[in-house]
Amino acid sequence: MNAVANIRTRIGAVRERALAWWLSRTDQERKFLAVGGGVAAVALVYAILLAPALEGRETLKRTLPNLRQQAAQMQTLAAEAQALAASPAPQVPPMSSEALTASMAQRGLKAGSITMTGEYAKVQLNGVSFANLVSWLDAQRRENRVQVQDAAFTALAAVGQVDATLTLRQASAPAP
């Protein structure tokens, strides 16, 4: 209770001093102070409440058309994704030595030997460009779902040239 009474006493004292200060001013000073206080209050209300709201409104007016366009694009892409998810995955032709030889020839690779054993293919490449080999393997992974099960590379004296022995397997599920 003493704390509350102490606070009330202090507030009363401050109030009395403010009233005494106000009454000691002339009428002209009181008018100037009242007008200045009113202007300061209006400026404060504008700066704190109105300006941020008006700026936010203008920002929304500028960005809303772009956001609506993005939302429409996202809806279109979502519908396309649902349609693609509903359609079955395209079937890829089974891996064969002829298909592997033809795809390697397109990348400038020539296999020393290709041995097919069930669902596995062992490919021996001699003196090929490592960059072309990796590019071909990536294309096989994406297009034909062929995965590398085992690989052994030997660097040659020529820069970027390797001997490679690969064991490949065709996956039954789509590659990511």
Side-chain angles (χ1 to χ4, degrees), residues 128-164:
V128 296
S129 166
F130 183 73
N132 282 350
L133 178 59
V134 171
S135 175
W136 174 74
L137 288 171
D138 184 51
Q140 289 300 304
R141 178 188 62 83
R142 285 183 284 110
E143 297 165 7
N144 298 319
R145 299 183 197 140
V146 172
Q147 299 172 342
V148 177
Q149 294 295 309
D150 187 38
F153 299 97
T154 305
L156 300 177
V159 175
Q161 298 292 310
V162 296
D163 287 342

Side-chain angles (χ1 to χ4, degrees), residues 8 29 60 84 91 96 110 112 130 143 146 148 155 168 171 173:
R8 286 183 183 168
E29 287 177 329
L60 285 176
L84 288 174
Q91 295 297 321
S96 67
K110 183 168 176 18
F130 183 73
E143 297 165 7
V146 172
V148 177
L168 308 173

Side-chain angles (χ1 to χ4, degrees), residues 25-158:
R25 305 288 138 220
T26 64
D27 284 340
Q28 186 178 7
E29 287 177 329
R30 287 185 204 155
K31 286 179 187 175
F32 283 146
L33 289 173
V35 169
V39 169
V42 168
L44 189 63
V45 166
Y46 178 80
I48 293 175
L49 300 176
L50 293 177
L54 293 174
E55 289 172 10
R57 184 175 168 193
E58 289 301 316
T59 301
L60 285 176
K61 278 184 181 179
R62 286 191 309 268
T63 60
L64 196 56
N66 188 25
L67 292 173
R68 284 188 177 142
Q69 180 184 8
Q70 289 175 358
Q73 288 174 342
M74 288 178 64
Q75 288 174 346
T76 302
L77 290 173
E80 186 177 325
Q82 285 178 341
L84 288 174
S87 67
Q91 295 297 321
V92 294
M95 182 172 58
S96 67
S97 60
E98 295 80 23
L100 290 174
T101 303
S103 66
M104 282 189 274
Q106 290 175 349
R107 300 271 181 188
L109 302 171
K110 183 168 176 18
S113 67
I114 298 177
T115 307
M116 297 295 296
T117 308
E119 59 186 19
Y120 293 93
K122 186 164 187 161
V123 180
Q124 175 66 44
L125 298 146
N126 298 319
V128 296
S129 166
F130 183 73
N132 282 350
L133 178 59
V134 171
S135 175
W136 174 74
L137 288 171
D138 184 51
Q140 289 300 304
R141 178 188 62 83
R142 285 183 284 110
E143 297 165 7
N144 298 319
R145 299 183 197 140
V146 172
Q147 299 172 342
V148 177
Q149 294 295 309
D150 187 38
F153 299 97
T154 305
L156 300 177

